Amino acid sequence: MSHILPITTSQESSQPVPLIDLVAQYGTIRDEVQEAVHRVFERQSFVLGEEVSNFEDEVAEYCDSTHAIGCASGSDALLLALMALEIGPGDEVITTPYSFFATASSIARTGATPVFVDIDPSTYNIDTNRIEAAITRRTRAIMPVHLFGQCVDMDPIWRVATQHGLAIVEDAAQAIGASYRSRKAGVLGSVGCFSFFPTKNLGGAGDGGLVTTDDKDLASRLRRLRVHGDIGGYTHVDVGINSRLDALQAAVLSVKLKHLDSWSEARRENDRNYGELFQEFALNERVQSPTEVPERHHIYNQFTIRVPGVRDEVLKRLRERQVGCSIYYPKPLHLQECFSSLNYKYGDFPEAERAAAETIALPIFPELGAERQRIVVRELHHVLAEIDAEMYPSVRRAA
Ligand SMILES: *Cc1c(COP(=O)(O)O)cnc(C)c1O
């Protein structure tokens, strides 16, 4: 118990620290955004059109993808990708149980079956060593999720997918700008899916999403599927959906895309700074920091630490002390009520279950600043020391 923290005496008053502050970011780009919004209103062309195709071109260039197809959300991007691959009833898609709900629901909505594989506890991404054992003759695709902004180890996935003739649908909703061996998230599989939900690293003024692919046929099917399968003149060749990107979103996102790399760099700087602060406050033994694997460029959509045994108490006390924090995700997907027909039970994916019980996300947004980061770490230290003192009173007396 050498790492039990001594209780701190200093009770410096401190400012509240939010988990994310979109108002601060808007302050840095207000004029550019307002000009873009104004331009859309003057044109009165609100759905798809030039703003959207320009933005699609910009994302395609940014990711080095041949095609980019805007749509209404990240959830729809996943659904459209699976529809374009003609995945449906009777098919199985392998994915992680430790992700946002839409990862698995997109599979279920096509009529296919999500098949879960446990995660690697150090990266929280799908454990690629376990994928092959989950493949059956019904398996059609693998859906890796680049969770928290760090790419999945794609090499083993490429190998297995090639060997078994499977498609790869990347859930890159949290990973725009992340890379794996210098190739960007979104171009590491057959189809890449992005979300522009406001809290993602590239966030719009509402919902938005996009699909990338290098396959010409898939791209034209995706363009068709997002407009009810219409090839023009109310001639429908597929039963598609209505999932288009708004011009207003595209205009705002075009402005923000130019700043994305500098924002990602600020997030990475915050990660380095957390490392130093954890050292300074002797927290390295007490909390497990995120692991950044070599040859991956992590863009820290979330900064997630582990605090085994005391997570809920840490969450409650940090919030009481006005430090923004959250849990991504408290309940793994295989234990969600709506998937009870899949017949999974507690204990099936111990690493996902353990992560769901032990992790907590701290503020990492680009505008956070060193001063507020110090407050976060100081408060975390205080809260942990307090909890330790309550749990091991004798140790404290002895110290
Ligand atoms: C946000 C997110 C989605 C869904 O994106 P929406 O735009 O909110 O529909 C899908 N998968 C993951 C991993 C996400 O984080």
Side-chain angles (χ1 to χ4, degrees):
M1 288 192 219
S2 59
H3 57 266
I4 287 174
L5 298 168
I7 199 142
T8 41
T9 48
S10 84
Q11 283 291 343
E12 300 163 58
S13 64
S14 58
Q15 52 170 322
V17 184
L19 182 59
I20 183 169
D21 185 356
L22 293 171
V23 174
Q25 181 168 87
Y26 180 56
T28 68
I29 52 172
R30 179 180 281 108
D31 292 346
E32 292 171 273
V33 170
Q34 287 187 353
E35 194 187 303
V37 169
H38 181 72
R39 185 175 71 230
V40 172
F41 272 90
E42 288 304 314
R43 282 188 191 154
Q44 291 288 303
S45 166
F46 290 116
V47 178
L48 296 177
E50 199 181 319
E51 293 284 349
V52 172
S53 56
N54 287 345
F55 174 65
E56 288 171 339
D57 291 346
E58 288 160 14
V59 176
E61 192 186 326
Y62 179 79
C63 295
D64 196 19
S65 169
T66 317
H67 308 278
I69 299 98
C71 63
S73 69
S75 304
D76 275 3
L78 293 166
L79 179 63
L80 285 165
L82 295 168
M83 288 172 77
L85 290 164
E86 299 180 79
I87 286 169
D91 297 334
E92 293 176 356
V93 178
I94 293 172
T95 193
T96 166
Y98 190 59
S99 180
F100 178 62
F101 177 68
T103 302
S105 70
S106 63
I107 300 167
R109 285 189 61 195
T110 65
T113 304
V115 172
F116 298 115
V117 165
D118 209 358
I119 58 165
D120 171 345
S122 67
T123 61
Y124 306 106
N125 283 332
I126 192 166
D127 183 346
T128 54
N129 295 317
R130 296 172 186 269
I131 290 176
E132 190 135 34
I135 293 174
T136 72
R137 57 188 174 79
R138 294 177 182 275
T139 309
R140 291 283 317 281
I142 304 169
M143 186 184 281
V145 181
H146 308 306
L147 202 70
F148 303 145
Q150 176 162 245
C151 286
V152 171
D153 186 10
M154 293 304 293
D155 226 5
I157 294 189
W158 290 330
R159 210 160 36 232
V160 167
T162 308
Q163 212 170 347
H164 296 267
L166 309 176
I168 300 171
V169 178
E170 287 176 83
D171 183 340
Q174 300 183 5
I176 190 161
S179 60
Y180 177 79
R181 299 197 183 139
S182 319
R183 283 170 66 188
K184 287 236 163 67
V187 296
L188 305 171
S190 328
V191 192
C193 303
F194 293 101
S195 164
F196 305 122
F197 186 76
T199 60
K200 307 290 167 150
N201 284 24
L202 180 61
D207 279 308
L210 182 136
V211 187
T212 47
T213 184
D214 285 337
D215 183 315
K216 186 164 151 283
D217 294 335
L218 271 183
S220 60
R221 213 171 305 146
L222 284 160
R223 287 188 191 286
R224 209 158 72 210
L225 285 166
R226 73 176 170 178
V227 290
H228 297 290
D230 190 353
I231 51 167
Y234 298 96
T235 303
H236 301 265
V237 297
D238 299 300
V239 183
I241 58 178
N242 170 8
S243 183
R244 301 170 294 217
L245 187 61
D246 288 338
L248 216 41
Q249 297 304 340
V252 170
L253 289 164
S254 276
V255 167
K256 294 181 83 170
L257 181 61
K258 297 183 187 73
H259 300 274
L260 179 62
D261 284 343
S262 74
W263 290 333
S264 297
E265 198 38 58
R267 287 171 181 270
R268 291 177 54 76
E269 175 65 32
N270 290 344
D271 164 67
R272 286 190 288 271
N273 200 25
Y274 269 132
E276 284 168 23
L277 287 164
F278 284 176
Q279 188 103 32
E280 185 185 330
F281 283 81
L283 283 170
N284 280 331
E285 294 283 309
R286 196 66 178 77
V287 306
Q288 188 186 317
S289 301
T291 308
E292 187 170 339
V293 182
E295 297 193 280
R296 314 240 182 128
H297 184 76
H298 196 328
I299 49 93
Y300 292 97
N301 178 242
Q302 299 294 350
F303 180 85
T304 303
I305 61 167
R306 269 186 207 262
V307 280
V310 294
R311 195 272 312 275
D312 291 342
E313 219 27 65
V314 171
L315 182 86
K316 181 170 145 264
R317 293 183 197 206
L318 279 180
R319 283 181 173 168
E320 277 165 11
R321 298 177 75 88
Q322 297 191 288
V323 172
C325 51
S326 195
I327 302 172
Y328 303 105
Y329 295 89
K331 191 180 219 177
L333 299 174
H334 67 288
L335 301 177
Q336 296 290 344
E337 192 181 329
C338 64
F339 294 134
S340 60
S341 64
L342 300 176
N343 289 318
Y344 289 109
K345 57 183 187 314
Y346 186 83
D348 284 345
F349 305 109
E351 291 301 345
E353 290 157 8
R354 196 160 68 84
E358 294 182 349
T359 56
I360 184 165
L362 300 178
I364 186 86
F365 62 93
E367 301 79 13
L368 179 59
E371 195 187 326
R372 287 190 295 186
Q373 250 191 304
R374 176 169 285 276
I375 293 170
V376 172
V377 178
R378 197 187 67 215
E379 294 297 314
L380 177 64
H381 178 274
H382 179 86
V383 157
L384 282 166
E386 216 175 52
I387 294 169
D388 286 351
E390 288 165 21
M391 285 172 74
Y392 310 104
S394 59
V395 175
R396 191 193 158 198
R397 267 197 305 277

